[in-house]
Amino acid sequence: MTTLNSGVNIVLGDWSTLQKDAQAVRYAVFVVEQKIPAELEWDVMDAQCLHAVAYDAQQQAIGTGRLLPDGHIGRMAVLGSARNLGVGADILRLLMRQAKLRGDTTVRLNAQQTAEKFYAREGFVRDGEIFMEAGIAHICMAHQFK
């Protein structure tokens, strides 16, 4: 567990350990808020990923993300009530650190176009053209470790 100055704790683990809390955040953000069909949200990759879940001071899950075996970071989601507090950046940085520790030289992600500036602040650069996924404009982005 990583505890941040804000009192937010981030736990890393596998799907069997973090599924309940990661699923709750992803459902609230992607299915309810963004209207993505639930059948598009869950996939077989969850069982193969390293997951991160952020918890507030009351131990409520407020954010999540996952690191795939191929170096992709995905399913980044933060509850609306916890946005703009640095939670997403902390989750992203922790997943990037884990990727680097396991020897990845590059991490990639498919960012919603509206989040491109967020990822750019963390060193990601656009890598391709805009494409549609689940009815939302996305852009491939990559970050190479130095």
Side-chain angles (χ1 to χ4, degrees):
M1 177 178 357
T2 301
T3 303
L4 308 173
N5 292 335
S6 63
V8 171
N9 295 318
I10 301 177
V11 175
L12 294 172
D14 61 20
W15 189 238
S16 64
T17 304
L18 296 175
Q19 177 179 359
K20 179 182 173 229
D21 292 337
Q23 234 173 5
V25 172
R26 285 166 51 181
Y27 187 85
V29 172
F30 297 128
V31 178
V32 175
E33 181 183 330
Q34 296 183 355
K35 310 286 189 247
I36 295 171
E39 60 271 12
L40 296 180
E41 179 52 30
W42 319 119
D43 62 26
V44 298
M45 294 308 297
D46 277 321
Q48 301 173 38
C49 293
L50 174 67
H51 294 267
V53 175
Y55 296 91
D56 65 13
Q58 291 75 42
Q59 295 306 307
Q60 296 299 307
I62 58 171
T64 191
R66 70 182 190 180
L67 175 62
L68 286 84
D70 68 358
H72 274 79
I73 291 174
R75 299 306 201 267
M76 291 282 300
V78 176
L79 296 180
S81 60
R83 288 190 195 133
N84 300 311
L85 301 175
V87 175
D90 288 332
I91 292 169
L92 180 62
R93 289 179 195 134
L94 186 57
L95 291 173
M96 290 171 67
R97 184 165 61 233
Q98 294 302 308
K100 187 174 184 179
L101 285 172
R102 73 178 186 193
D104 294 351
T105 58
T106 304
V107 286
R108 298 182 175 283
L109 51 81
N110 294 335
Q112 291 186 7
Q113 189 179 16
T114 57
E116 184 175 359
K117 288 180 183 176
F118 164 79
Y119 291 109
R121 285 192 300 271
E122 299 301 324
F124 283 82
V125 295
R126 187 183 273 225
D127 185 25
E129 300 300 318
I130 295 171
F131 64 95
M132 297 301 287
E133 185 175 347
I136 299 172
H138 283 72
I139 186 72
C140 293
M141 300 185 82
H143 174 86
Q144 291 189 347
F145 297 115
K146 297 176 183 182

